Amino acid sequence: MSTRGYLLKNLAAGLVVLGVISGVVALVRWISGPDDDPAPATKRAIAAVAVDVLDLHPTSFNVNPSYDVPDPLGVEIRFRPPGEKGDSHYLHVGVDAAGTRDLEECSEYYDCAEWDGHGGRFHLSWQEEEPEEDPGILTLTFRTAAGEERSVTYAGEQLTGDPREQDLPLSVEGDLVRLLTDDRFSATTTRAMVDADLPKWPKDDTLGDPVPTTPEVVAQWMVEEGVRDVPQRRPVDTTAYGDGAVGIELVARDHTTSVVLVPKDSPSVPTCGPEWHCVTKRDVVRGWQQGVAIAIRHTADAVALVTVRAPSVDGPIGRRTRDGRVGQDYLALADGFAAFTLTTTKEFAAGVPAS
């Protein structure tokens, strides 16, 4: 065969192969849709949008930043600004389609500001630096007109005042607002973001998958808050609070302590009725009547009702010596920070001892 014939034969074969490959690519595109087609967001997609919009250079990702609390569309990103070393800069980016969280209010712990824009409402909260301890932290949240809540938390550069007036690696009113108002940073994103290749993305990104909270999980949170760990535990009858409520009671020699988690949309959300002596302190309702003290806390998706029953309760429980262990258990829950959510992570639930 001549050289020319050999080349033509191979060229024809190559065109056939190319045609097959093109057909396969076309088929894949037909099945998955164009890159800008809408698609349900994943953690990787949310991270990919952040990396794209903010032009980040991530050093690591953490898909389960809160070990005991599921964060279905939340990711922790460590990154290195240009010209710096290490990975001391931190972002947590997340989307909550239902907007169930209560926004941090201004308090002795947080400064805050709110403003309208881009068809929604922004809420900025921040803590200033603690010299030689903490550089400070800020969270910007955007609640859309449809009720979706998008948020980004940043820590790394020292915060010495209103972060909108500081020269940060990521500006609040520029970079962070641009991220939160990007249409792809949502519970519905694009196929391109879902399929994005992210170097350093963990092979197992199922960590933090949600499972229902059980009475045993509630008890674990109670003990971690500082409540006395006792062998006698029993589930609480939650019938009065409707479907989805869960709780447990820890029975000690001189008192019982219980926590019931009630869905926020329950028709029987706990309140402090007229028969109680009630005050509100740090967004926690505290009440008492003879023999019983209660505290009502709002968590990410639930209302937590704390109840302590003891003959010694005859007034508001404080840090008085005579309140003893009864007061310690009550204050541990009233002043605490446990998640007390209706779902937890599979890892946390697996590590909780069965009753």
Side-chain angles (χ1 to χ4, degrees):
M1 181 183 294
S2 67
T3 301
R4 184 179 177 214
Y6 176 80
L7 291 174
L8 289 174
K9 182 177 179 181
N10 279 275
L11 177 61
L15 290 174
V16 170
V17 173
L18 181 60
V20 171
I21 294 174
S22 299
V24 171
V25 171
L27 178 62
V28 171
R29 286 180 176 171
W30 180 79
I31 293 174
S32 63
D35 285 352
D36 59 354
D37 264 8
T42 61
K43 292 190 177 193
R44 186 170 71 171
I46 294 299
V49 176
V51 169
D52 180 55
V53 173
L54 301 176
D55 191 25
L56 299 178
H57 302 277
T59 57
S60 66
F61 297 95
N62 184 356
V63 298
N64 186 22
S66 296
Y67 179 68
D68 59 343
V69 182
D71 194 0
L73 292 179
V75 181
E76 178 183 291
I77 305 172
R78 296 278 179 173
F79 69 99
R80 180 183 303 121
E84 294 195 18
K85 298 180 180 180
D87 61 352
S88 60
H89 292 260
Y90 159 99
L91 282 182
H92 178 276
V93 293
V95 173
D96 180 355
T100 57
R101 293 183 300 175
D102 294 325
L103 299 181
E104 288 282 358
E105 296 185 359
C106 300
S107 68
E108 60 182 301
Y109 304 107
Y110 284 90
D111 292 304
C112 67
E114 290 188 336
W115 66 93
D116 295 321
H118 296 272
R121 188 162 184 82
F122 292 95
H123 179 94
L124 173 67
S125 62
W126 71 91
Q127 283 182 321
E128 295 187 20
E129 66 166 330
E130 291 288 341
E132 301 182 7
E133 293 184 14
D134 189 335
I137 191 168
L138 70 86
T139 297
L140 181 65
T141 303
F142 178 58
R143 185 160 284 168
T144 69
E148 182 174 80
E149 188 177 288
R150 310 170 183 177
S151 65
V152 54
T153 297
Y154 166 77
E157 198 74 22
Q158 292 182 330
L159 299 183
T160 57
D162 189 331
R164 293 171 295 179
E165 300 173 359
Q166 290 188 240
D167 184 17
L168 302 175
L170 299 171
S171 64
V172 172
E173 295 178 296
D175 297 320
L176 301 188
V177 166
R178 190 169 69 254
L179 170 63
L180 298 186
T181 56
D182 192 296
D183 289 340
R184 301 169 300 169
F185 194 78
S186 173
T188 300
T189 186
T190 64
R191 175 61 51 187
M193 293 297 99
V194 171
D195 296 337
D197 180 26
L198 286 178
K200 302 183 184 298
W201 185 255
K203 291 182 180 180
D204 181 8
D205 59 3
T206 66
L207 295 174
D209 280 0
V211 296
T213 294
T214 62
E216 291 77 17
V217 168
V218 177
Q220 181 69 17
W221 277 324
M222 293 170 69
V223 171
E224 289 185 358
E225 286 282 60
V227 173
R228 185 190 319 183
D229 192 2
V230 294
Q232 188 176 355
R233 301 177 179 184
R234 56 195 181 205
V236 174
D237 181 3
T238 60
T239 306
Y241 301 108
D243 294 339
V246 60
I248 198 166
E249 185 174 64
L250 278 59
V251 183
R253 180 183 56 81
D254 56 348
H255 69 287
T256 61
T257 306
S258 68
V259 171
V260 176
L261 308 183
V262 182
K264 287 188 174 182
D265 59 358
S266 168
S268 302
V269 169
T271 58
C272 204
E275 70 275 19
W276 295 89
H277 306 277
C278 298
V279 297
T280 300
K281 182 180 179 182
R282 295 178 183 173
D283 299 323
V284 176
V285 177
R286 304 159 191 254
W288 70 274
Q289 56 181 255
Q290 188 63 45
V292 188
I294 62 171
I296 301 172
R297 291 172 47 183
H298 288 257
T299 70
D301 62 2
V303 177
L305 172 62
V306 174
T307 305
V308 176
R309 300 180 184 277
S312 61
V313 176
D314 60 358
I317 293 181
R319 301 194 178 278
R320 300 170 297 177
T321 304
R322 71 183 184 89
D323 287 328
R325 190 67 213 199
V326 174
Q328 292 176 32
D329 285 355
Y330 175 82
L331 293 172
L333 296 170
D335 293 338
F337 297 95
F340 288 137
T341 51
L342 294 169
T343 56
T344 186
T345 64
K346 60 180 183 179
E347 295 82 19
F348 186 73
V352 172
S355 295

